[in-house]
Amino acid sequence: LWGIMTLGVLLTFRILNIADMTVDGSFAAGGAVTAILITHGMNPLVSLFFVFVVGMITGLVTGLLHTKLNIPVILAGILSMIALYSVNIRIMGKANTSLIGMTTIMNYLQEKFALSPNVSSLAVGLVFCLLIVLIFYWFFGTELGSAIRATGNNENMVRALGVDTDTMKILGLMIANGMVALSGALVAQSQGYADVGMGTGTIVIGLASVIIGEVVFKK
């Protein structure tokens, strides 16, 4: 489930060359949104769509702060992260929301296929990670995806070719934070509650995961 978040961090850190601090806030935002929607009766799988949209909005804010207001990207991410603490409390109306007794993707699988909590979480995480990797593989082979990759690789060259690099950065940040929010939502469903502080340290975990993965699979 955390691997989905790492895929989002990989996009900003390795493809866009940005250490995006927003993820500490967008991870918790994903948990907050899915928790409040599920407690209001929404299907837990459908709630993930709205989670992804909210995650993209958090990335949009960071992207606009950086590209349009010329705030350094790390500081823009920190501003969004701090602001999201208040936003997440406003979404839930309190510091945490329990999902005990509510239907989540994990306990649905537990009841349907008699799986243990750990196995159901692992299965959901593997399926989502596989789907996202396949979508990423396709998307970054398209013209738009190639423009995002090229922006992180050589921004000046891409701008000389007529690509709006600001738009590419914003789009990359939106997709990445959408992934992070999705991860936060699934983690919240797995652990049975969403908490306003559940995203603390997420960026460290994500960056460490990317670096360890590169060392292990470098060949």
Side-chain angles (χ1 to χ4, degrees):
L1 301 179
W2 286 83
I4 301 168
M5 176 273 297
T6 303
L7 288 170
V9 173
L10 176 70
L11 169 53
T12 53
F13 184 58
R14 276 293 177 245
I15 297 179
L16 281 177
N17 271 332
I18 293 172
D20 180 24
M21 301 294 290
T22 315
V23 299
D24 281 26
S26 56
F27 186 86
V33 171
T34 197
I36 208 68
L37 290 177
I38 289 173
T39 54
H40 281 75
M42 182 175 285
N43 183 293
L45 199 58
V46 175
S47 74
L48 298 182
F49 169 77
F50 296 97
V51 164
F52 187 77
V53 171
V54 169
M56 291 185 77
I57 292 171
T58 66
L60 173 64
V61 171
T62 300
L64 291 175
L65 288 174
H66 172 53
T67 59
K68 305 306 179 186
L69 299 182
N70 295 319
I71 297 174
V73 68
I74 292 180
L75 181 55
I78 292 172
L79 290 171
S80 296
M81 174 187 72
I82 294 170
L84 280 168
Y85 188 88
S86 297
V87 172
N88 293 337
I89 290 179
R90 182 70 183 85
I91 290 171
M92 293 189 289
K94 50 189 175 181
N96 51 62
T97 299
S98 174
L99 290 173
I100 295 174
M102 301 290 174
T103 300
T104 65
I105 297 173
M106 284 70 183
N107 59 31
Y108 173 79
L109 292 177
Q110 291 170 37
E111 296 170 4
K112 190 77 173 177
F113 302 103
L115 300 176
S116 69
N118 288 339
V119 172
S120 63
S121 294
L122 181 62
V124 171
L126 286 172
V127 169
F128 273 88
C129 278
L130 181 60
L131 285 173
I132 292 167
V133 167
L134 291 174
I135 292 170
F136 268 23
Y137 186 81
W138 165 79
F139 175 73
F140 286 109
T142 64
E143 187 175 340
L144 181 59
S146 297
I148 294 174
R149 288 163 55 200
T151 298
N153 208 21
N154 192 330
E155 185 176 341
N156 293 328
M157 180 65 181
V158 174
R159 192 181 292 114
L161 293 173
V163 174
D164 186 345
T165 53
D166 284 355
T167 301
M168 295 303 106
K169 287 180 182 179
I170 292 172
L171 185 58
L173 286 166
M174 289 175 68
I175 296 171
N177 281 284
M179 293 293 104
V180 173
L182 185 64
S183 175
L186 291 172
V187 168
Q189 291 190 34
S190 175
Q191 65 190 12
Y193 69 93
D195 186 88
V196 72
M198 65 185 286
T200 304
T202 301
I203 184 63
V204 178
I205 297 169
L207 293 176
S209 301
V210 170
I211 293 167
I212 291 170
E214 287 177 343
V215 170
V216 173
F217 296 108
K218 63 182 177 181
K219 295 184 178 178

